[in-house]
PDB file of all heavy atoms in Angstrom:
ATOM      1  N   GLY A 151      39.387  21.051 -55.525  1.00  0.00           N
ATOM      2  CA  GLY A 151      38.967  22.262 -56.229  1.00  0.00           C
ATOM      3  C   GLY A 151      37.813  21.988 -57.176  1.00  0.00           C
ATOM      4  O   GLY A 151      37.771  22.507 -58.285  1.00  0.00           O
ATOM      5  N   GLY A 153      34.827  23.006 -56.911  1.00  0.00           N
ATOM      6  CA  GLY A 153      33.774  24.018 -56.791  1.00  0.00           C
ATOM      7  C   GLY A 153      33.487  24.791 -58.068  1.00  0.00           C
ATOM      8  O   GLY A 153      32.342  25.192 -58.314  1.00  0.00           O
ATOM      9  N   THR A 154      34.513  25.057 -58.863  1.00  0.00           N
ATOM     10  CA  THR A 154      34.296  25.843 -60.093  1.00  0.00           C
ATOM     11  C   THR A 154      35.255  25.346 -61.184  1.00  0.00           C
ATOM     12  O   THR A 154      36.023  24.403 -60.976  1.00  0.00           O
ATOM     13  CB  THR A 154      34.560  27.363 -59.886  1.00  0.00           C
ATOM     14  OG1 THR A 154      35.869  27.514 -59.360  1.00  0.00           O
ATOM     15  CG2 THR A 154      33.546  27.993 -58.951  1.00  0.00           C
ATOM     16  N   GLY A 155      35.198  26.023 -62.329  1.00  0.00           N
ATOM     17  CA  GLY A 155      36.204  25.845 -63.385  1.00  0.00           C
ATOM     18  C   GLY A 155      36.367  24.413 -63.865  1.00  0.00           C
ATOM     19  O   GLY A 155      35.399  23.670 -64.047  1.00  0.00           O
ATOM     20  N   MET A 156      37.630  24.041 -64.083  1.00  0.00           N
ATOM     21  CA  MET A 156      37.912  22.716 -64.641  1.00  0.00           C
ATOM     22  C   MET A 156      37.525  21.598 -63.674  1.00  0.00           C
ATOM     23  O   MET A 156      37.097  20.524 -64.098  1.00  0.00           O
ATOM     24  CB  MET A 156      39.398  22.617 -65.004  1.00  0.00           C
ATOM     25  CG  MET A 156      39.712  23.362 -66.290  1.00  0.00           C
ATOM     26  SD  MET A 156      41.437  23.173 -66.763  1.00  0.00           S
ATOM     27  CE  MET A 156      42.134  24.675 -66.092  1.00  0.00           C
ATOM     28  N   GLY A 157      37.650  21.845 -62.364  1.00  0.00           N
ATOM     29  CA  GLY A 157      37.265  20.830 -61.371  1.00  0.00           C
ATOM     30  C   GLY A 157      35.783  20.520 -61.481  1.00  0.00           C
ATOM     31  O   GLY A 157      35.370  19.347 -61.459  1.00  0.00           O
ATOM     32  N   CYS A 174      36.576  18.131 -53.019  1.00  0.00           N
ATOM     33  CA  CYS A 174      36.775  19.081 -51.935  1.00  0.00           C
ATOM     34  C   CYS A 174      36.991  20.461 -52.532  1.00  0.00           C
ATOM     35  O   CYS A 174      37.299  20.609 -53.715  1.00  0.00           O
ATOM     36  CB  CYS A 174      37.965  18.698 -51.046  1.00  0.00           C
ATOM     37  SG  CYS A 174      39.573  19.193 -51.693  1.00  0.00           S
ATOM     38  N   ASP A 175      36.783  21.471 -51.703  1.00  0.00           N
ATOM     39  CA  ASP A 175      37.014  22.858 -52.100  1.00  0.00           C
ATOM     40  C   ASP A 175      36.989  23.677 -50.815  1.00  0.00           C
ATOM     41  O   ASP A 175      36.539  23.196 -49.770  1.00  0.00           O
ATOM     42  CB  ASP A 175      35.914  23.347 -53.065  1.00  0.00           C
ATOM     43  CG  ASP A 175      36.379  24.508 -53.955  1.00  0.00           C
ATOM     44  OD1 ASP A 175      36.522  25.640 -53.436  1.00  0.00           O
ATOM     45  OD2 ASP A 175      36.623  24.279 -55.153  1.00  0.00           O
ATOM     46  N   VAL A 176      37.480  24.922 -50.909  1.00  0.00           N
ATOM     47  CA  VAL A 176      37.327  25.826 -49.756  1.00  0.00           C
ATOM     48  C   VAL A 176      35.932  26.448 -49.754  1.00  0.00           C
ATOM     49  O   VAL A 176      35.515  26.998 -48.745  1.00  0.00           O
ATOM     50  CB  VAL A 176      38.402  26.938 -49.739  1.00  0.00           C
ATOM     51  CG1 VAL A 176      39.761  26.365 -49.365  1.00  0.00           C
ATOM     52  CG2 VAL A 176      38.489  27.658 -51.085  1.00  0.00           C
ATOM     53  N   ALA A 204      37.591  21.417 -47.577  1.00  0.00           N
ATOM     54  CA  ALA A 204      38.984  21.162 -47.184  1.00  0.00           C
ATOM     55  C   ALA A 204      39.901  22.106 -47.958  1.00  0.00           C
ATOM     56  O   ALA A 204      39.685  22.363 -49.142  1.00  0.00           O
ATOM     57  CB  ALA A 204      39.376  19.719 -47.487  1.00  0.00           C
ATOM     58  N   ASP A 205      40.915  22.604 -47.262  1.00  0.00           N
ATOM     59  CA  ASP A 205      41.965  23.422 -47.880  1.00  0.00           C
ATOM     60  C   ASP A 205      43.128  22.475 -48.176  1.00  0.00           C
ATOM     61  O   ASP A 205      43.718  21.901 -47.248  1.00  0.00           O
ATOM     62  CB  ASP A 205      42.383  24.532 -46.900  1.00  0.00           C
ATOM     63  CG  ASP A 205      43.473  25.430 -47.465  1.00  0.00           C
ATOM     64  OD1 ASP A 205      44.279  24.965 -48.302  1.00  0.00           O
ATOM     65  OD2 ASP A 205      43.533  26.605 -47.054  1.00  0.00           O
ATOM     66  N   VAL A 206      43.463  22.326 -49.463  1.00  0.00           N
ATOM     67  CA  VAL A 206      44.469  21.322 -49.848  1.00  0.00           C
ATOM     68  C   VAL A 206      45.877  21.629 -49.347  1.00  0.00           C
ATOM     69  O   VAL A 206      46.747  20.766 -49.384  1.00  0.00           O
ATOM     70  CB  VAL A 206      44.523  21.123 -51.382  1.00  0.00           C
ATOM     71  CG1 VAL A 206      43.229  20.529 -51.907  1.00  0.00           C
ATOM     72  CG2 VAL A 206      44.869  22.424 -52.110  1.00  0.00           C
ATOM     73  N   SER A 207      46.107  22.850 -48.886  1.00  0.00           N
ATOM     74  CA  SER A 207      47.448  23.174 -48.382  1.00  0.00           C
ATOM     75  C   SER A 207      47.618  22.735 -46.925  1.00  0.00           C
ATOM     76  O   SER A 207      48.699  22.875 -46.361  1.00  0.00           O
ATOM     77  CB  SER A 207      47.730  24.671 -48.531  1.00  0.00           C
ATOM     78  OG  SER A 207      46.863  25.421 -47.706  1.00  0.00           O
ATOM     79  N   ASN A 234      43.607  19.157 -58.645  1.00  0.00           N
ATOM     80  CA  ASN A 234      43.270  20.247 -59.568  1.00  0.00           C
ATOM     81  C   ASN A 234      43.250  21.618 -58.896  1.00  0.00           C
ATOM     82  O   ASN A 234      43.465  22.630 -59.560  1.00  0.00           O
ATOM     83  CB  ASN A 234      41.888  19.907 -60.179  1.00  0.00           C
ATOM     84  CG  ASN A 234      41.166  21.107 -60.736  1.00  0.00           C
ATOM     85  OD1 ASN A 234      41.445  21.571 -61.847  1.00  0.00           O
ATOM     86  ND2 ASN A 234      40.227  21.667 -59.961  1.00  0.00           N
ATOM     87  N   ALA A 235      43.032  21.689 -57.585  1.00  0.00           N
ATOM     88  CA  ALA A 235      42.875  22.993 -56.913  1.00  0.00           C
ATOM     89  C   ALA A 235      44.112  23.859 -57.118  1.00  0.00           C
ATOM     90  O   ALA A 235      45.241  23.365 -57.063  1.00  0.00           O
ATOM     91  CB  ALA A 235      42.636  22.794 -55.416  1.00  0.00           C
ATOM     92  N   GLY A 236      43.896  25.139 -57.377  1.00  0.00           N
ATOM     93  CA  GLY A 236      45.030  26.045 -57.546  1.00  0.00           C
ATOM     94  C   GLY A 236      44.576  27.490 -57.532  1.00  0.00           C
ATOM     95  O   GLY A 236      43.401  27.775 -57.793  1.00  0.00           O
ATOM     96  N   ILE A 237      45.491  28.372 -57.205  1.00  0.00           N
ATOM     97  CA  ILE A 237      45.228  29.818 -57.289  1.00  0.00           C
ATOM     98  C   ILE A 237      46.456  30.506 -57.872  1.00  0.00           C
ATOM     99  O   ILE A 237      47.561  29.954 -57.844  1.00  0.00           O
ATOM    100  CB  ILE A 237      44.913  30.474 -55.912  1.00  0.00           C
ATOM    101  CG1 ILE A 237      46.119  30.401 -54.959  1.00  0.00           C
ATOM    102  CG2 ILE A 237      43.687  29.856 -55.276  1.00  0.00           C
ATOM    103  CD1 ILE A 237      46.008  31.330 -53.758  1.00  0.00           C
ATOM    104  N   ARG A 253      51.152  31.394 -49.844  1.00  0.00           N
ATOM    105  CA  ARG A 253      49.771  30.907 -50.000  1.00  0.00           C
ATOM    106  C   ARG A 253      49.619  30.254 -51.383  1.00  0.00           C
ATOM    107  O   ARG A 253      49.117  29.151 -51.502  1.00  0.00           O
ATOM    108  CB  ARG A 253      48.797  32.088 -49.844  1.00  0.00           C
ATOM    109  CG  ARG A 253      47.340  31.701 -49.884  1.00  0.00           C
ATOM    110  CD  ARG A 253      46.778  31.456 -48.488  1.00  0.00           C
ATOM    111  NE  ARG A 253      45.401  31.027 -48.508  1.00  0.00           N
ATOM    112  CZ  ARG A 253      45.008  29.758 -48.320  1.00  0.00           C
ATOM    113  NH1 ARG A 253      45.873  28.804 -48.074  1.00  0.00           N
ATOM    114  NH2 ARG A 253      43.738  29.444 -48.347  1.00  0.00           N
ATOM    115  N   ILE A 257      49.413  26.096 -51.945  1.00  0.00           N
ATOM    116  CA  ILE A 257      48.214  25.483 -52.547  1.00  0.00           C
ATOM    117  C   ILE A 257      48.603  24.750 -53.825  1.00  0.00           C
ATOM    118  O   ILE A 257      48.294  23.575 -54.012  1.00  0.00           O
ATOM    119  CB  ILE A 257      47.127  26.550 -52.833  1.00  0.00           C
ATOM    120  CG1 ILE A 257      46.574  27.108 -51.507  1.00  0.00           C
ATOM    121  CG2 ILE A 257      46.000  25.966 -53.687  1.00  0.00           C
ATOM    122  CD1 ILE A 257      45.625  28.285 -51.651  1.00  0.00           C
ATOM    123  N   THR A 284      47.430  18.675 -61.924  1.00  0.00           N
ATOM    124  CA  THR A 284      47.327  19.835 -62.810  1.00  0.00           C
ATOM    125  C   THR A 284      48.454  20.819 -62.541  1.00  0.00           C
ATOM    126  O   THR A 284      48.542  21.404 -61.461  1.00  0.00           O
ATOM    127  CB  THR A 284      45.951  20.515 -62.667  1.00  0.00           C
ATOM    128  OG1 THR A 284      44.951  19.579 -63.084  1.00  0.00           O
ATOM    129  CG2 THR A 284      45.865  21.750 -63.548  1.00  0.00           C
ATOM    130  N   ALA A 285      49.328  20.960 -63.538  1.00  0.00           N
ATOM    131  CA  ALA A 285      50.351  22.016 -63.515  1.00  0.00           C
ATOM    132  C   ALA A 285      49.798  23.137 -64.380  1.00  0.00           C
ATOM    133  O   ALA A 285      48.689  23.646 -64.132  1.00  0.00           O
ATOM    134  CB  ALA A 285      51.679  21.497 -64.029  1.00  0.00           C
ATOM    135  N   SER A 286      50.502  23.505 -65.425  1.00  0.00           N
ATOM    136  CA  SER A 286      50.114  24.630 -66.275  1.00  0.00           C
ATOM    137  C   SER A 286      51.191  24.736 -67.342  1.00  0.00           C
ATOM    138  O   SER A 286      52.253  24.091 -67.217  1.00  0.00           O
ATOM    139  CB  SER A 286      50.117  25.907 -65.418  1.00  0.00           C
ATOM    140  OG  SER A 286      50.188  27.072 -66.227  1.00  0.00           O
ATOM    141  N   TYR A 303      53.607  31.038 -58.482  1.00  0.00           N
ATOM    142  CA  TYR A 303      52.822  30.098 -59.297  1.00  0.00           C
ATOM    143  C   TYR A 303      53.746  29.259 -60.187  1.00  0.00           C
ATOM    144  O   TYR A 303      53.614  28.042 -60.271  1.00  0.00           O
ATOM    145  CB  TYR A 303      51.832  30.910 -60.137  1.00  0.00           C
ATOM    146  CG  TYR A 303      50.791  30.118 -60.889  1.00  0.00           C
ATOM    147  CD1 TYR A 303      49.608  29.721 -60.273  1.00  0.00           C
ATOM    148  CD2 TYR A 303      50.958  29.797 -62.237  1.00  0.00           C
ATOM    149  CE1 TYR A 303      48.627  29.026 -60.982  1.00  0.00           C
ATOM    150  CE2 TYR A 303      49.990  29.106 -62.952  1.00  0.00           C
ATOM    151  CZ  TYR A 303      48.820  28.719 -62.323  1.00  0.00           C
ATOM    152  OH  TYR A 303      47.851  28.032 -63.026  1.00  0.00           O
ATOM    153  N   LYS A 307      54.233  25.254 -60.170  1.00  0.00           N
ATOM    154  CA  LYS A 307      53.835  24.442 -61.314  1.00  0.00           C
ATOM    155  C   LYS A 307      55.021  23.660 -61.895  1.00  0.00           C
ATOM    156  O   LYS A 307      54.865  22.536 -62.365  1.00  0.00           O
ATOM    157  CB  LYS A 307      53.159  25.317 -62.385  1.00  0.00           C
ATOM    158  CG  LYS A 307      51.848  25.973 -61.905  1.00  0.00           C
ATOM    159  CD  LYS A 307      50.789  24.955 -61.516  1.00  0.00           C
ATOM    160  CE  LYS A 307      49.430  25.580 -61.264  1.00  0.00           C
ATOM    161  NZ  LYS A 307      48.402  24.592 -60.860  1.00  0.00           N
ATOM    162  N   PRO A 335      47.549  23.053 -68.908  1.00  0.00           N
ATOM    163  CA  PRO A 335      46.628  23.863 -69.704  1.00  0.00           C
ATOM    164  C   PRO A 335      47.256  25.188 -70.110  1.00  0.00           C
ATOM    165  O   PRO A 335      48.072  25.770 -69.385  1.00  0.00           O
ATOM    166  CB  PRO A 335      45.448  24.125 -68.745  1.00  0.00           C
ATOM    167  CG  PRO A 335      45.661  23.205 -67.562  1.00  0.00           C
ATOM    168  CD  PRO A 335      47.143  22.989 -67.494  1.00  0.00           C
ATOM    169  N   GLY A 336      46.824  25.672 -71.294  1.00  0.00           N
ATOM    170  CA  GLY A 336      47.107  27.058 -71.676  1.00  0.00           C
ATOM    171  C   GLY A 336      46.067  27.943 -71.004  1.00  0.00           C
ATOM    172  O   GLY A 336      45.703  27.705 -69.852  1.00  0.00           O
ATOM    173  N   HIS A 337      45.582  28.948 -71.745  1.00  0.00           N
ATOM    174  CA  HIS A 337      44.568  29.835 -71.159  1.00  0.00           C
ATOM    175  C   HIS A 337      43.192  29.176 -71.268  1.00  0.00           C
ATOM    176  O   HIS A 337      42.702  28.938 -72.365  1.00  0.00           O
ATOM    177  CB  HIS A 337      44.594  31.188 -71.892  1.00  0.00           C
ATOM    178  CG  HIS A 337      43.545  32.140 -71.434  1.00  0.00           C
ATOM    179  ND1 HIS A 337      43.225  33.279 -72.122  1.00  0.00           N
ATOM    180  CD2 HIS A 337      42.718  32.120 -70.346  1.00  0.00           C
ATOM    181  CE1 HIS A 337      42.261  33.921 -71.477  1.00  0.00           C
ATOM    182  NE2 HIS A 337      41.931  33.239 -70.408  1.00  0.00           N
ATOM    183  N   ILE A 338      42.605  28.900 -70.117  1.00  0.00           N
ATOM    184  CA  ILE A 338      41.293  28.246 -70.067  1.00  0.00           C
ATOM    185  C   ILE A 338      40.290  29.222 -69.441  1.00  0.00           C
ATOM    186  O   ILE A 338      40.606  29.870 -68.430  1.00  0.00           O
ATOM    187  CB  ILE A 338      41.336  26.951 -69.209  1.00  0.00           C
ATOM    188  CG1 ILE A 338      42.532  26.065 -69.597  1.00  0.00           C
ATOM    189  CG2 ILE A 338      40.010  26.198 -69.310  1.00  0.00           C
ATOM    190  CD1 ILE A 338      42.541  25.525 -71.005  1.00  0.00           C
ATOM    191  N   THR A 340      38.011  30.329 -67.114  1.00  0.00           N
ATOM    192  CA  THR A 340      37.469  30.026 -65.773  1.00  0.00           C
ATOM    193  C   THR A 340      37.503  31.318 -64.952  1.00  0.00           C
ATOM    194  O   THR A 340      38.047  32.337 -65.388  1.00  0.00           O
ATOM    195  CB  THR A 340      38.314  28.967 -65.020  1.00  0.00           C
ATOM    196  OG1 THR A 340      39.558  29.572 -64.632  1.00  0.00           O
ATOM    197  CG2 THR A 340      38.578  27.734 -65.861  1.00  0.00           C
ATOM    198  N   SER A 341      36.978  31.235 -63.737  1.00  0.00           N
ATOM    199  CA  SER A 341      36.982  32.411 -62.839  1.00  0.00           C
ATOM    200  C   SER A 341      38.214  32.428 -61.949  1.00  0.00           C
ATOM    201  O   SER A 341      38.177  32.987 -60.853  1.00  0.00           O
ATOM    202  CB  SER A 341      35.726  32.390 -61.965  1.00  0.00           C
ATOM    203  OG  SER A 341      34.588  32.400 -62.764  1.00  0.00           O
ATOM    204  N   ILE A 342      39.317  31.842 -62.407  1.00  0.00           N
ATOM    205  CA  ILE A 342      40.497  31.727 -61.537  1.00  0.00           C
ATOM    206  C   ILE A 342      41.025  33.099 -61.099  1.00  0.00           C
ATOM    207  O   ILE A 342      41.526  33.236 -59.987  1.00  0.00           O
ATOM    208  CB  ILE A 342      41.612  30.868 -62.189  1.00  0.00           C
ATOM    209  CG1 ILE A 342      42.701  30.526 -61.161  1.00  0.00           C
ATOM    210  CG2 ILE A 342      42.199  31.525 -63.418  1.00  0.00           C
ATOM    211  CD1 ILE A 342      43.697  29.475 -61.592  1.00  0.00           C
ATOM    212  N   ASN A 345      38.588  34.232 -58.328  1.00  0.00           N
ATOM    213  CA  ASN A 345      38.664  33.282 -57.196  1.00  0.00           C
ATOM    214  C   ASN A 345      39.991  33.423 -56.451  1.00  0.00           C
ATOM    215  O   ASN A 345      40.039  33.371 -55.228  1.00  0.00           O
ATOM    216  CB  ASN A 345      38.545  31.834 -57.699  1.00  0.00           C
ATOM    217  CG  ASN A 345      37.142  31.497 -58.149  1.00  0.00           C
ATOM    218  OD1 ASN A 345      36.189  32.185 -57.790  1.00  0.00           O
ATOM    219  ND2 ASN A 345      36.989  30.453 -58.940  1.00  0.00           N
ATOM    220  N   ILE A 349      40.612  34.246 -52.488  1.00  0.00           N
ATOM    221  CA  ILE A 349      41.290  33.325 -51.562  1.00  0.00           C
ATOM    222  C   ILE A 349      42.533  33.993 -50.971  1.00  0.00           C
ATOM    223  O   ILE A 349      42.815  33.878 -49.788  1.00  0.00           O
ATOM    224  CB  ILE A 349      41.622  31.992 -52.275  1.00  0.00           C
ATOM    225  CG1 ILE A 349      40.302  31.247 -52.543  1.00  0.00           C
ATOM    226  CG2 ILE A 349      42.572  31.126 -51.461  1.00  0.00           C
ATOM    227  CD1 ILE A 349      40.409  30.034 -53.433  1.00  0.00           C
ATOM    228  N   PHE A 396      39.224  37.290 -68.859  1.00  0.00           N
ATOM    229  CA  PHE A 396      39.967  36.029 -68.708  1.00  0.00           C
ATOM    230  C   PHE A 396      39.009  34.858 -68.850  1.00  0.00           C
ATOM    231  O   PHE A 396      39.310  33.847 -69.494  1.00  0.00           O
ATOM    232  CB  PHE A 396      40.663  35.974 -67.337  1.00  0.00           C
ATOM    233  CG  PHE A 396      41.590  34.794 -67.208  1.00  0.00           C
ATOM    234  CD1 PHE A 396      42.938  34.913 -67.512  1.00  0.00           C
ATOM    235  CD2 PHE A 396      41.108  33.554 -66.817  1.00  0.00           C
ATOM    236  CE1 PHE A 396      43.790  33.811 -67.425  1.00  0.00           C
ATOM    237  CE2 PHE A 396      41.943  32.444 -66.728  1.00  0.00           C
ATOM    238  CZ  PHE A 396      43.293  32.579 -67.028  1.00  0.00           C
TER     239      PHE A 396
HETATM  240  N1  NAD B 270      42.375  28.772 -66.045  1.00  0.00           N
HETATM  241  C1  NAD B 270      43.570  28.688 -66.593  1.00  0.00           C
HETATM  242  O1  NAD B 270      43.879  29.400 -67.583  1.00  0.00           O
HETATM  243  C2  NAD B 270      44.579  27.708 -66.091  1.00  0.00           C
HETATM  244  C3  NAD B 270      45.720  27.494 -66.860  1.00  0.00           C
HETATM  245  C4  NAD B 270      46.683  26.596 -66.432  1.00  0.00           C
HETATM  246  C5  NAD B 270      46.489  25.904 -65.259  1.00  0.00           C
HETATM  247  N2  NAD B 270      45.365  26.124 -64.512  1.00  0.00           N
HETATM  248  C6  NAD B 270      45.225  25.345 -63.278  1.00  0.00           C
HETATM  249  O2  NAD B 270      44.042  24.579 -63.359  1.00  0.00           O
HETATM  250  C7  NAD B 270      43.555  24.317 -62.040  1.00  0.00           C
HETATM  251  C8  NAD B 270      42.078  24.662 -61.972  1.00  0.00           C
HETATM  252  O3  NAD B 270      41.953  26.055 -62.170  1.00  0.00           O
HETATM  253  P1  NAD B 270      40.664  26.777 -62.780  1.00  0.00           P
HETATM  254  O4  NAD B 270      41.149  27.654 -63.863  1.00  0.00           O
HETATM  255  O5  NAD B 270      39.600  25.791 -63.033  1.00  0.00           O
HETATM  256  O6  NAD B 270      40.308  27.741 -61.554  1.00  0.00           O
HETATM  257  P2  NAD B 270      39.002  27.968 -60.674  1.00  0.00           P
HETATM  258  O7  NAD B 270      39.314  29.098 -59.773  1.00  0.00           O
HETATM  259  O8  NAD B 270      37.783  28.063 -61.531  1.00  0.00           O
HETATM  260  O9  NAD B 270      38.894  26.614 -59.850  1.00  0.00           O
HETATM  261  C9  NAD B 270      39.799  26.297 -58.823  1.00  0.00           C
HETATM  262  C10 NAD B 270      39.008  25.773 -57.646  1.00  0.00           C
HETATM  263  O10 NAD B 270      39.950  25.433 -56.621  1.00  0.00           O
HETATM  264  C11 NAD B 270      39.452  25.902 -55.391  1.00  0.00           C
HETATM  265  N3  NAD B 270      40.565  26.110 -54.460  1.00  0.00           N
HETATM  266  C12 NAD B 270      41.466  27.122 -54.473  1.00  0.00           C
HETATM  267  N4  NAD B 270      42.304  27.007 -53.432  1.00  0.00           N
HETATM  268  C13 NAD B 270      41.932  25.891 -52.761  1.00  0.00           C
HETATM  269  C14 NAD B 270      42.419  25.257 -51.612  1.00  0.00           C
HETATM  270  N5  NAD B 270      43.436  25.746 -50.904  1.00  0.00           N
HETATM  271  N6  NAD B 270      41.829  24.103 -51.198  1.00  0.00           N
HETATM  272  C15 NAD B 270      40.769  23.596 -51.881  1.00  0.00           C
HETATM  273  N7  NAD B 270      40.244  24.186 -52.981  1.00  0.00           N
HETATM  274  C16 NAD B 270      40.827  25.316 -53.425  1.00  0.00           C
HETATM  275  C17 NAD B 270      38.726  27.188 -55.734  1.00  0.00           C
HETATM  276  O11 NAD B 270      37.797  27.547 -54.716  1.00  0.00           O
HETATM  277  C18 NAD B 270      38.062  26.825 -57.048  1.00  0.00           C
HETATM  278  O12 NAD B 270      36.784  26.256 -56.854  1.00  0.00           O
HETATM  279  C19 NAD B 270      44.444  25.136 -61.114  1.00  0.00           C
HETATM  280  O13 NAD B 270      45.442  24.296 -60.561  1.00  0.00           O
HETATM  281  C20 NAD B 270      45.065  26.164 -62.022  1.00  0.00           C
HETATM  282  O14 NAD B 270      46.296  26.616 -61.539  1.00  0.00           O
HETATM  283  C21 NAD B 270      44.407  27.004 -64.903  1.00  0.00           C
END
Side-chain angles (χ1 to χ4, degrees):
T154 55
M156 284 183 263
C174 82
D175 204 287
V176 288
D205 180 332
V206 295
S207 65
N234 159 80
I237 64 165
R253 184 93 183 103
I257 292 173
T284 297
S286 161
Y303 189 85
K307 297 299 189 181
H337 176 193
I338 312 297
T340 71
S341 301
I342 192 168
N345 288 341
I349 290 170
F396 188 93

